[in-house]
Amino acid sequence: MIILIRFILLLLNFFTFQLMNFNITDYYIKAINIILWIILFYFIFIFVFDGLTNPNLTFDEAGQFWLCKGLHHFSPLNSIEGNIIDTMKFNRIFNLDPGGLSFIGFFWLKISNSVFFIRLLPFLFSIFCVFFLYKILLELKLNSQTAFLISLFFFLSKSLVIFTFTFRAYIFEILGVLILLYLLIKYKDILFKPSILALFSIVFNIFMWTRYGFIINIIAVNFLIIFIVFDNKALNNNFIKNFLLIIVIPLILNFVFMYFYEIKYHLRGGPTSPTLWYKENLTLKHNSFFETLYNNFFCTRGLPFLFFILTIISNLKYNFFNICRNIKYIFYWMIAVHIFTIIFSFFGYYPWYIKGRWGLTLEFISLLSAIILFILIIKKIEIKSELIKHYKTTLILIMLFVLFNFRSFNYKSYCIEFLSKFNNSHAKIAFVNWYLTPETKFNLIYNPKFKKLYKTKEFNFYEYKEINKQPKKHTWFLVSDPTNLELKNELKILKFRYKFIFISSSGLILEAL
């Protein structure tokens, strides 16, 4: 990361040297900045537009939609929508999150059921994420324009970009993490005040219901609060009393309620997750510590945090924390989150795994490490050329370079393509496998293009093991599976003659002959 940034700065220095012969003035530099801003916002607009208008819902997104409706992934097609109690009841059975998004989504979807509006909710969370990242960068002594530009780096993380428009609780959790981090460095000198502790308590108890991984952040931040108050020599009996009354007791009560209402069902497993194996098999309880350490720090996503640690260690004499005191507390927070994640992972409760949805906080730590390294370089490098002094131009150029090579949110499930082909075919009966069931139901009821389809043709939602009878002629089978295992099993189970109508890497349509 450091080498790449320095290489870009070197190129810009060379570019500046060439332009200096033409006596570039501040006027022209400002003009370049304005043009780059326009181009940057054009690409951001395209990125946002593509994300919000993507009509394809993943299995989890469509399932989340039905949970918000007081139903579940496999509710019968014409089921009557439930109430908020039904939403939370089905959440504990068909979801592995505490249900905060299901609760909010229940009221949010009272306004509209369009895909645009569904994706708008996580996008709004993302906007708030950028806002709080911007506020954090201001606390790191950056000017407002530079802080805004660097805050857009939030969208450069592959996983965070995907979840920017994904109707799941992932970005909701990251928003809570950013709010906590901002409060920690903003009020570091007055953390002993009851009003500030009350702010933390509100954030803790609300965002605890986003995803279970947020509990790790709650523990890490509470330890840091105590450490900072102790470091500021403000640790006394009044603080301990206020801390217990305002933070600890409400957290315990909230956790006990969550345990009996959600957690105990998820630990035991529900109909769709009897063992929670895909979480447990990623923990240190089932994996080597050194192998997991390697996977977390020596992969592309983990390298920025590793470089950040090495930068701090290799410059202990210089003490980078002198540049900005807040960097110290951010660094301590990063270390604390990793330590408590390791502890939870050791007992098999949560994976210490940066790749994927379970490691979003760890990936955000890595992204923030890259941002801080970038800031340290800006503050440390002596910038002599006229153009580089206006490093906002440099930042915009880097953003443009990334956006030019950036792949936007373009998830495709093939469900809409399946339904379009079926709608225009002579077939009257369709069997839809389990993976496509939630999204197919959504399109049949809420997509104007297919609203009349299920009234004129017959749909059967099934598991492939249930297909054991000779189907009627011209019956269609819509099959999709992310692992491709379902497709192979489907072809083994279906003993009758058929032809392929459509086939791709993750989906197919068969027609019985």
Side-chain angles (χ1 to χ4, degrees):
M1 180 66 67
I2 298 175
I3 295 174
L4 175 62
I5 294 170
R6 286 183 173 174
F7 176 71
I8 293 172
L9 290 173
L10 185 64
L11 286 178
L12 285 172
N13 265 313
F14 174 77
F15 180 66
T16 304
F17 176 77
Q18 300 298 323
L19 292 178
M20 287 297 288
N21 296 327
F22 296 92
N23 297 318
I24 286 185
T25 63
D26 285 346
Y27 174 82
Y28 291 111
I29 291 175
K30 289 178 181 178
I32 292 171
N33 264 324
I34 291 171
I35 293 171
L36 287 173
W37 272 105
I38 293 171
I39 297 173
L40 177 61
F41 276 104
Y42 169 76
F43 280 107
I44 291 174
F45 172 79
I46 296 298
F47 162 68
V48 172
F49 180 81
D50 286 347
L52 290 176
T53 57
N54 188 320
N56 301 282
L57 296 176
T58 66
F59 173 82
D60 286 341
E61 283 183 295
Q64 181 68 68
F65 172 86
W66 291 115
L67 291 176
C68 294
K69 288 294 182 180
L71 301 169
H72 60 79
H73 304 54
F74 310 108
S75 297
L77 190 58
N78 293 310
S79 298
I80 299 174
E81 293 180 10
N83 53 34
I84 188 65
I85 296 175
D86 295 318
T87 289
M88 300 309 291
K89 178 183 70 175
F90 286 128
N91 184 87
R92 74 169 67 125
I93 300 172
F94 291 93
N95 196 8
L96 290 176
D97 293 330
L101 182 64
S102 297
F103 183 86
I104 295 172
F106 175 84
F107 299 100
W108 177 260
L109 294 178
K110 296 292 183 186
I111 304 172
S112 173
N113 295 308
S114 67
V115 175
F116 175 88
F117 204 73
I118 290 171
R119 297 207 181 284
L120 184 61
L121 182 60
F123 179 66
L124 289 177
F125 291 149
S126 302
I127 294 297
F128 282 111
C129 284
V130 172
F131 171 76
F132 279 103
L133 181 56
Y134 165 77
K135 297 291 284 184
I136 289 169
L137 294 177
L138 289 181
E139 294 298 321
L140 298 182
K141 310 303 180 186
L142 292 180
N143 65 60
S144 58
Q145 216 174 20
T146 306
F148 173 72
L149 272 166
I150 297 181
S151 66
L152 294 179
F153 279 33
F154 179 83
F155 293 116
L156 302 187
S157 166
K158 183 179 178 182
S159 292
L160 294 177
V161 162
I162 292 173
F163 296 130
T164 294
F165 303 104
T166 300
F167 190 53
R168 294 286 285 150
Y170 306 117
I171 213 71
F172 193 15
E173 177 194 11
I174 295 300
L175 174 59
V177 170
L178 277 160
I179 293 174
L180 282 183
L181 196 54
Y182 170 68
L183 292 177
L184 193 67
I185 62 177
K186 173 70 175 178
Y187 301 111
K188 60 185 178 297
D189 294 322
I190 53 173
L191 287 174
F192 56 87
K193 289 189 175 182
S195 58
I196 303 302
L197 293 177
L199 275 177
F200 277 97
S201 184
I202 291 169
V203 176
F204 288 152
N205 286 285
I206 290 176
F207 285 90
M208 179 190 287
W209 287 82
T210 57
R211 297 177 75 227
Y212 291 122
F214 193 77
I215 294 174
I216 295 173
N217 275 282
I218 292 175
I219 297 172
V221 169
N222 275 316
F223 269 87
L224 277 177
I225 289 174
I226 295 171
F227 171 78
I228 293 172
V229 171
F230 177 79
D231 195 41
N232 292 338
K233 297 180 174 54
L235 189 63
N236 52 45
N237 290 334
N238 283 334
F239 169 76
I240 295 172
K241 177 183 174 182
N242 291 331
F243 185 78
L244 291 174
L245 288 175
I246 298 173
I247 289 185
V248 176
I249 292 177
L251 272 177
I252 291 174
L253 293 175
N254 194 9
F255 182 80
V256 170
F257 175 71
M258 182 191 291
Y259 176 82
F260 286 104
Y261 200 81
E262 294 282 344
I263 296 177
K264 73 173 184 177
Y265 297 98
H266 291 161
L267 289 178
R268 293 175 181 175
T272 59
S273 55
T275 60
L276 302 190
W277 62 269
Y278 61 90
K279 282 174 59 178
E280 193 176 24
N281 72 343
L282 297 175
T283 65
L284 285 173
K285 188 177 181 180
H286 295 271
N287 291 278
S288 159
F289 175 82
F290 292 104
E291 181 184 352
T292 308
L293 183 72
Y294 177 84
N295 290 334
N296 276 296
F297 289 99
F298 292 91
C299 64
T300 306
R301 297 180 184 183
L303 282 176
F305 183 48
L306 176 63
F307 289 158
F308 186 36
I309 294 173
L310 294 176
T311 301
I312 298 299
I313 293 174
S314 61
N315 290 273
L316 288 176
K317 290 183 180 179
Y318 176 77
N319 193 357
F320 275 123
F321 297 150
N322 290 333
I323 294 178
C324 181
R325 181 181 161 210
N326 287 331
I327 292 178
K328 174 172 71 173
Y329 296 121
I330 292 175
F331 181 68
Y332 290 164
W333 167 75
M334 292 175 176
I335 296 297
V337 169
H338 270 278
I339 289 173
F340 286 108
T341 303
I342 290 171
I343 294 171
F344 273 74
S345 187
F346 180 78
F347 289 101
Y349 286 112
Y350 205 82
W352 184 37
Y353 188 71
I354 197 172
K355 300 176 183 178
R357 54 187 175 171
W358 299 108
L360 277 185
T361 300
L362 301 183
E363 182 160 350
F364 173 70
I365 285 174
S366 197
L367 174 68
L368 192 57
S369 299
I371 290 173
I372 293 176
L373 284 172
F374 192 90
I375 293 170
L376 291 174
I377 291 171
I378 287 176
K379 289 180 176 292
K380 185 132 178 21
I381 290 179
E382 228 179 87
I383 301 170
K384 297 180 180 179
S385 69
E386 290 299 317
L387 186 61
I388 302 299
K389 282 182 181 178
H390 299 263
Y391 54 78
K392 291 185 289 294
T393 306
T394 306
L395 291 171
I396 297 173
L397 285 171
I398 293 171
M399 289 292 297
L400 287 174
F401 173 78
V402 174
L403 287 171
F404 267 118
N405 295 277
F406 184 72
R407 187 177 180 182
S408 62
F409 180 81
N410 59 354
Y411 171 76
K412 188 174 182 180
S413 71
Y414 301 103
C415 179
I416 291 177
E417 189 166 359
F418 290 163
L419 291 176
S420 297
K421 290 179 182 294
F422 183 60
N423 189 25
N424 298 323
S425 74
H426 55 276
K428 295 294 182 183
I429 303 174
F431 283 82
V432 181
N433 80 323
W434 69 273
Y435 190 75
L436 282 174
T437 293
E439 187 186 1
T440 301
K441 290 194 306 176
F442 171 82
N443 280 295
L444 291 175
I445 296 176
Y446 296 107
N447 189 331
K449 187 177 179 181
F450 304 114
K451 260 189 174 183
K452 297 180 180 179
L453 184 58
Y454 81 94
K455 296 179 181 178
T456 58
K457 298 193 178 190
E458 180 183 341
F459 283 85
N460 298 277
F461 301 98
Y462 72 97
E463 291 188 18
Y464 68 87
K465 294 178 182 178
E466 298 172 0
I467 301 299
N468 51 23
K469 294 181 180 179
Q470 178 68 28
K472 294 180 182 179
K473 190 177 182 181
H474 302 314
T475 297
W476 279 34
F477 293 86
L478 312 185
V479 186
S480 183
D481 183 70
T483 63
N484 215 25
L485 294 175
E486 187 87 4
L487 307 185
K488 296 176 182 177
N489 290 328
E490 196 74 35
L491 296 178
K492 291 178 182 178
I493 295 294
L494 300 179
K495 302 299 182 183
F496 49 83
R497 293 176 61 240
Y498 57 83
K499 68 176 179 180
F500 287 108
I501 302 297
F502 172 87
I503 185 166
S504 72
S505 59
S506 61
L508 57 82
I509 305 176
L510 302 176
E511 180 178 347
L513 299 176

Short mmCIF file of all heavy atoms in Angstrom, two decimals, residues 348-385:
data_model
loop_
_atom_site.label_atom_id
_atom_site.label_comp_id
_atom_site.label_asym_id
_atom_site.label_seq_id
_atom_site.Cartn_x
_atom_site.Cartn_y
_atom_site.Cartn_z
N GLY A 348 -15.01 -21.31 20.19
CA GLY A 348 -15.92 -21.80 19.15
C GLY A 348 -17.17 -20.99 18.94
O GLY A 348 -18.10 -21.45 18.28
N TYR A 349 -17.21 -19.74 19.47
CA TYR A 349 -18.43 -18.93 19.36
C TYR A 349 -18.45 -18.00 18.16
O TYR A 349 -19.51 -17.60 17.70
CB TYR A 349 -18.65 -18.12 20.64
CG TYR A 349 -19.12 -18.95 21.80
CD1 TYR A 349 -18.29 -19.16 22.90
CD2 TYR A 349 -20.38 -19.53 21.80
CE1 TYR A 349 -18.71 -19.93 23.97
CE2 TYR A 349 -20.80 -20.31 22.86
CZ TYR A 349 -19.97 -20.51 23.95
OH TYR A 349 -20.39 -21.27 25.00
N TYR A 350 -17.27 -17.61 17.67
CA TYR A 350 -17.24 -16.67 16.55
C TYR A 350 -15.93 -16.85 15.79
O TYR A 350 -14.88 -17.03 16.41
CB TYR A 350 -17.36 -15.22 17.04
CG TYR A 350 -17.92 -14.29 16.00
CD1 TYR A 350 -19.29 -14.20 15.78
CD2 TYR A 350 -17.08 -13.51 15.21
CE1 TYR A 350 -19.81 -13.36 14.81
CE2 TYR A 350 -17.58 -12.67 14.25
CZ TYR A 350 -18.95 -12.59 14.04
OH TYR A 350 -19.45 -11.77 13.08
N PRO A 351 -15.98 -16.79 14.46
CA PRO A 351 -14.75 -17.04 13.68
C PRO A 351 -13.80 -15.85 13.69
O PRO A 351 -14.24 -14.70 13.60
CB PRO A 351 -15.28 -17.30 12.26
CG PRO A 351 -16.58 -16.58 12.21
CD PRO A 351 -17.16 -16.63 13.59
N TRP A 352 -12.53 -16.12 13.83
CA TRP A 352 -11.49 -15.12 13.61
C TRP A 352 -11.08 -15.28 12.15
O TRP A 352 -10.15 -15.98 11.82
CB TRP A 352 -10.32 -15.37 14.56
CG TRP A 352 -9.23 -14.34 14.48
CD1 TRP A 352 -9.36 -13.00 14.28
CD2 TRP A 352 -7.82 -14.57 14.62
NE1 TRP A 352 -8.15 -12.39 14.27
CE2 TRP A 352 -7.18 -13.32 14.48
CE3 TRP A 352 -7.04 -15.71 14.84
CZ2 TRP A 352 -5.80 -13.19 14.56
CZ3 TRP A 352 -5.68 -15.57 14.93
CH2 TRP A 352 -5.05 -14.32 14.78
N TYR A 353 -11.82 -14.60 11.28
CA TYR A 353 -11.72 -14.89 9.86
C TYR A 353 -12.05 -13.63 9.07
O TYR A 353 -13.19 -13.17 9.05
CB TYR A 353 -12.72 -16.01 9.52
CG TYR A 353 -12.62 -16.56 8.12
CD1 TYR A 353 -11.54 -17.34 7.74
CD2 TYR A 353 -13.63 -16.32 7.19
CE1 TYR A 353 -11.47 -17.87 6.46
CE2 TYR A 353 -13.56 -16.85 5.91
CZ TYR A 353 -12.48 -17.62 5.55
OH TYR A 353 -12.39 -18.15 4.28
N ILE A 354 -11.04 -13.05 8.43
CA ILE A 354 -11.23 -11.77 7.76
C ILE A 354 -11.95 -11.88 6.43
O ILE A 354 -12.53 -10.91 5.94
CB ILE A 354 -9.86 -11.07 7.56
CG1 ILE A 354 -10.07 -9.58 7.25
CG2 ILE A 354 -9.05 -11.74 6.46
CD1 ILE A 354 -8.79 -8.77 7.23
N LYS A 355 -11.95 -13.06 5.84
CA LYS A 355 -12.56 -13.21 4.51
C LYS A 355 -14.02 -13.60 4.65
O LYS A 355 -14.35 -14.66 5.14
CB LYS A 355 -11.83 -14.31 3.72
CG LYS A 355 -10.35 -14.03 3.50
CD LYS A 355 -9.69 -15.21 2.80
CE LYS A 355 -8.20 -15.00 2.64
NZ LYS A 355 -7.54 -16.17 2.01
N GLY A 356 -14.90 -12.72 4.19
CA GLY A 356 -16.31 -13.07 4.19
C GLY A 356 -17.12 -12.25 5.17
O GLY A 356 -16.61 -11.39 5.89
N ARG A 357 -18.40 -12.56 5.22
CA ARG A 357 -19.36 -11.75 5.97
C ARG A 357 -19.14 -11.80 7.47
O ARG A 357 -19.52 -10.87 8.18
CB ARG A 357 -20.79 -12.20 5.64
CG ARG A 357 -21.01 -13.68 5.86
CD ARG A 357 -22.38 -14.10 5.37
NE ARG A 357 -22.55 -15.54 5.47
CZ ARG A 357 -23.69 -16.16 5.27
NH1 ARG A 357 -24.76 -15.47 4.95
NH2 ARG A 357 -23.78 -17.46 5.37
N TRP A 358 -18.51 -12.87 7.98
CA TRP A 358 -18.30 -12.96 9.44
C TRP A 358 -17.14 -12.09 9.88
O TRP A 358 -16.97 -11.82 11.07
CB TRP A 358 -18.07 -14.41 9.85
CG TRP A 358 -19.23 -15.28 9.52
CD1 TRP A 358 -19.29 -16.22 8.53
CD2 TRP A 358 -20.52 -15.28 10.13
NE1 TRP A 358 -20.54 -16.80 8.49
CE2 TRP A 358 -21.31 -16.24 9.47
CE3 TRP A 358 -21.09 -14.55 11.17
CZ2 TRP A 358 -22.63 -16.49 9.82
CZ3 TRP A 358 -22.40 -14.80 11.52
CH2 TRP A 358 -23.15 -15.76 10.85
N GLY A 359 -16.31 -11.63 8.94
CA GLY A 359 -15.14 -10.85 9.32
C GLY A 359 -15.19 -9.41 8.85
O GLY A 359 -14.16 -8.79 8.59
N LEU A 360 -16.41 -8.84 8.76
CA LEU A 360 -16.53 -7.48 8.24
C LEU A 360 -15.82 -6.46 9.11
O LEU A 360 -15.19 -5.53 8.60
CB LEU A 360 -18.01 -7.10 8.10
CG LEU A 360 -18.71 -7.56 6.82
CD1 LEU A 360 -20.11 -7.01 6.77
CD2 LEU A 360 -17.94 -7.14 5.59
N THR A 361 -15.92 -6.59 10.44
CA THR A 361 -15.24 -5.63 11.32
C THR A 361 -13.73 -5.74 11.14
O THR A 361 -13.02 -4.73 11.11
CB THR A 361 -15.61 -5.89 12.79
OG1 THR A 361 -17.02 -5.75 12.95
CG2 THR A 361 -14.91 -4.90 13.71
N LEU A 362 -13.22 -6.96 10.99
CA LEU A 362 -11.78 -7.15 10.77
C LEU A 362 -11.37 -6.54 9.43
O LEU A 362 -10.29 -5.94 9.32
CB LEU A 362 -11.43 -8.64 10.80
CG LEU A 362 -11.76 -9.39 12.10
CD1 LEU A 362 -11.29 -10.84 11.99
CD2 LEU A 362 -11.13 -8.70 13.31
N GLU A 363 -12.23 -6.68 8.42
CA GLU A 363 -11.90 -6.09 7.13
C GLU A 363 -11.95 -4.57 7.20
O GLU A 363 -11.14 -3.88 6.58
CB GLU A 363 -12.86 -6.59 6.05
CG GLU A 363 -12.52 -6.05 4.68
CD GLU A 363 -13.09 -6.86 3.54
OE1 GLU A 363 -13.59 -7.97 3.78
OE2 GLU A 363 -13.03 -6.37 2.40
N PHE A 364 -12.90 -4.04 7.97
CA PHE A 364 -12.96 -2.58 8.14
C PHE A 364 -11.72 -2.09 8.86
O PHE A 364 -11.19 -1.01 8.55
CB PHE A 364 -14.22 -2.19 8.91
CG PHE A 364 -14.25 -0.73 9.26
CD1 PHE A 364 -14.43 0.23 8.26
CD2 PHE A 364 -14.04 -0.31 10.56
CE1 PHE A 364 -14.42 1.57 8.57
CE2 PHE A 364 -14.03 1.04 10.87
CZ PHE A 364 -14.23 1.99 9.87
N ILE A 365 -11.23 -2.85 9.83
CA ILE A 365 -9.99 -2.50 10.53
C ILE A 365 -8.84 -2.40 9.53
O ILE A 365 -8.02 -1.47 9.58
CB ILE A 365 -9.66 -3.54 11.62
CG1 ILE A 365 -10.59 -3.33 12.83
CG2 ILE A 365 -8.19 -3.46 12.06
CD1 ILE A 365 -10.43 -4.40 13.90
N SER A 366 -8.80 -3.34 8.60
CA SER A 366 -7.74 -3.32 7.59
C SER A 366 -7.88 -2.10 6.68
O SER A 366 -6.88 -1.45 6.34
CB SER A 366 -7.81 -4.61 6.76
OG SER A 366 -6.62 -4.82 6.06
N LEU A 367 -9.11 -1.79 6.29
CA LEU A 367 -9.34 -0.61 5.45
C LEU A 367 -8.94 0.66 6.18
O LEU A 367 -8.27 1.54 5.61
CB LEU A 367 -10.82 -0.54 5.05
CG LEU A 367 -11.25 0.72 4.28
CD1 LEU A 367 -10.62 0.74 2.90
CD2 LEU A 367 -12.76 0.79 4.16
N LEU A 368 -9.32 0.77 7.45
CA LEU A 368 -8.96 1.95 8.25
C LEU A 368 -7.45 2.04 8.43
O LEU A 368 -6.88 3.15 8.45
CB LEU A 368 -9.66 1.88 9.60
CG LEU A 368 -9.64 3.15 10.47
CD1 LEU A 368 -10.24 4.32 9.71
CD2 LEU A 368 -10.40 2.92 11.76
N SER A 369 -6.79 0.89 8.53
CA SER A 369 -5.31 0.88 8.61
C SER A 369 -4.70 1.48 7.36
O SER A 369 -3.75 2.28 7.43
CB SER A 369 -4.80 -0.55 8.80
OG SER A 369 -5.29 -1.12 9.98
N ALA A 370 -5.24 1.10 6.19
CA ALA A 370 -4.74 1.65 4.93
C ALA A 370 -4.95 3.15 4.87
O ALA A 370 -4.07 3.90 4.42
CB ALA A 370 -5.46 0.97 3.75
N ILE A 371 -6.11 3.62 5.35
CA ILE A 371 -6.40 5.06 5.36
C ILE A 371 -5.41 5.80 6.27
O ILE A 371 -4.88 6.85 5.89
CB ILE A 371 -7.85 5.30 5.82
CG1 ILE A 371 -8.83 4.82 4.74
CG2 ILE A 371 -8.09 6.78 6.13
CD1 ILE A 371 -10.29 4.87 5.16
N ILE A 372 -5.16 5.25 7.45
CA ILE A 372 -4.24 5.92 8.40
C ILE A 372 -2.82 5.93 7.85
O ILE A 372 -2.10 6.94 7.98
CB ILE A 372 -4.31 5.24 9.78
CG1 ILE A 372 -5.68 5.47 10.41
CG2 ILE A 372 -3.21 5.78 10.70
CD1 ILE A 372 -5.89 4.76 11.73
N LEU A 373 -2.40 4.84 7.21
CA LEU A 373 -1.08 4.82 6.59
C LEU A 373 -0.98 5.91 5.53
O LEU A 373 0.05 6.59 5.40
CB LEU A 373 -0.81 3.45 5.97
CG LEU A 373 -0.46 2.32 6.95
CD1 LEU A 373 -0.42 0.98 6.23
CD2 LEU A 373 0.89 2.59 7.62
N PHE A 374 -2.04 6.06 4.77
CA PHE A 374 -2.09 7.09 3.73
C PHE A 374 -1.94 8.48 4.38
O PHE A 374 -1.19 9.34 3.89
CB PHE A 374 -3.41 6.99 2.98
CG PHE A 374 -3.46 7.81 1.72
CD1 PHE A 374 -3.07 7.28 0.51
CD2 PHE A 374 -3.91 9.12 1.75
CE1 PHE A 374 -3.12 8.03 -0.65
CE2 PHE A 374 -3.97 9.88 0.60
CZ PHE A 374 -3.57 9.34 -0.60
N ILE A 375 -2.66 8.69 5.49
CA ILE A 375 -2.59 9.98 6.20
C ILE A 375 -1.18 10.23 6.74
O ILE A 375 -0.65 11.34 6.64
CB ILE A 375 -3.61 10.00 7.35
CG1 ILE A 375 -5.04 9.99 6.79
CG2 ILE A 375 -3.42 11.23 8.24
CD1 ILE A 375 -6.10 9.78 7.84
N LEU A 376 -0.56 9.18 7.31
CA LEU A 376 0.80 9.32 7.84
C LEU A 376 1.78 9.71 6.75
O LEU A 376 2.69 10.52 6.96
CB LEU A 376 1.23 8.01 8.51
CG LEU A 376 0.51 7.64 9.81
CD1 LEU A 376 0.94 6.25 10.27
CD2 LEU A 376 0.80 8.67 10.90
N ILE A 377 1.60 9.11 5.56
CA ILE A 377 2.47 9.44 4.43
C ILE A 377 2.28 10.90 4.03
O ILE A 377 3.24 11.64 3.81
CB ILE A 377 2.19 8.51 3.24
CG1 ILE A 377 2.65 7.09 3.58
CG2 ILE A 377 2.90 9.00 1.99
CD1 ILE A 377 2.22 6.05 2.57
N ILE A 378 1.02 11.33 3.94
CA ILE A 378 0.73 12.72 3.58
C ILE A 378 1.38 13.69 4.57
O ILE A 378 1.96 14.70 4.19
CB ILE A 378 -0.79 12.96 3.54
CG1 ILE A 378 -1.41 12.28 2.31
CG2 ILE A 378 -1.13 14.45 3.52
CD1 ILE A 378 -2.92 12.38 2.26
N LYS A 379 1.29 13.36 5.85
CA LYS A 379 1.80 14.26 6.87
C LYS A 379 3.32 14.20 6.99
O LYS A 379 3.96 15.15 7.41
CB LYS A 379 1.16 13.92 8.22
CG LYS A 379 -0.32 14.31 8.31
CD LYS A 379 -0.89 13.95 9.67
CE LYS A 379 -2.32 14.43 9.81
NZ LYS A 379 -2.46 15.89 9.86
N LYS A 380 3.91 13.05 6.62
CA LYS A 380 5.35 12.86 6.85
C LYS A 380 6.21 13.25 5.65
O LYS A 380 7.31 13.77 5.81
CB LYS A 380 5.59 11.39 7.21
CG LYS A 380 7.03 11.09 7.60
CD LYS A 380 7.05 10.30 8.86
CE LYS A 380 8.42 9.88 9.32
NZ LYS A 380 9.56 10.58 8.85
N ILE A 381 5.69 13.00 4.43
CA ILE A 381 6.50 13.27 3.25
C ILE A 381 6.61 14.78 3.03
O ILE A 381 5.64 15.51 3.12
CB ILE A 381 5.88 12.60 2.00
CG1 ILE A 381 6.03 11.09 2.10
CG2 ILE A 381 6.50 13.11 0.72
CD1 ILE A 381 5.44 10.34 0.94
N GLU A 382 7.83 15.22 2.77
CA GLU A 382 8.02 16.63 2.46
C GLU A 382 7.61 16.85 1.03
O GLU A 382 8.21 16.31 0.10
CB GLU A 382 9.50 16.99 2.63
CG GLU A 382 9.70 18.25 3.43
CD GLU A 382 11.17 18.56 3.60
OE1 GLU A 382 11.72 19.21 2.72
OE2 GLU A 382 11.75 18.11 4.60
N ILE A 383 6.57 17.66 0.84
CA ILE A 383 6.04 17.86 -0.51
C ILE A 383 6.52 19.21 -1.04
O ILE A 383 6.21 20.25 -0.48
CB ILE A 383 4.50 17.80 -0.48
CG1 ILE A 383 4.07 16.44 0.07
CG2 ILE A 383 3.90 18.03 -1.83
CD1 ILE A 383 2.60 16.37 0.38
N LYS A 384 7.29 19.16 -2.12
CA LYS A 384 7.92 20.38 -2.60
C LYS A 384 7.24 20.93 -3.87
O LYS A 384 7.21 22.12 -4.08
CB LYS A 384 9.40 20.12 -2.90
CG LYS A 384 10.20 19.74 -1.65
CD LYS A 384 11.66 19.50 -2.00
CE LYS A 384 12.44 19.14 -0.75
NZ LYS A 384 13.87 18.88 -1.05
N SER A 385 6.74 20.05 -4.72
CA SER A 385 6.21 20.52 -6.00
C SER A 385 4.89 21.26 -5.81
O SER A 385 4.16 21.03 -4.86
CB SER A 385 6.00 19.35 -6.95
OG SER A 385 4.95 18.55 -6.49
#
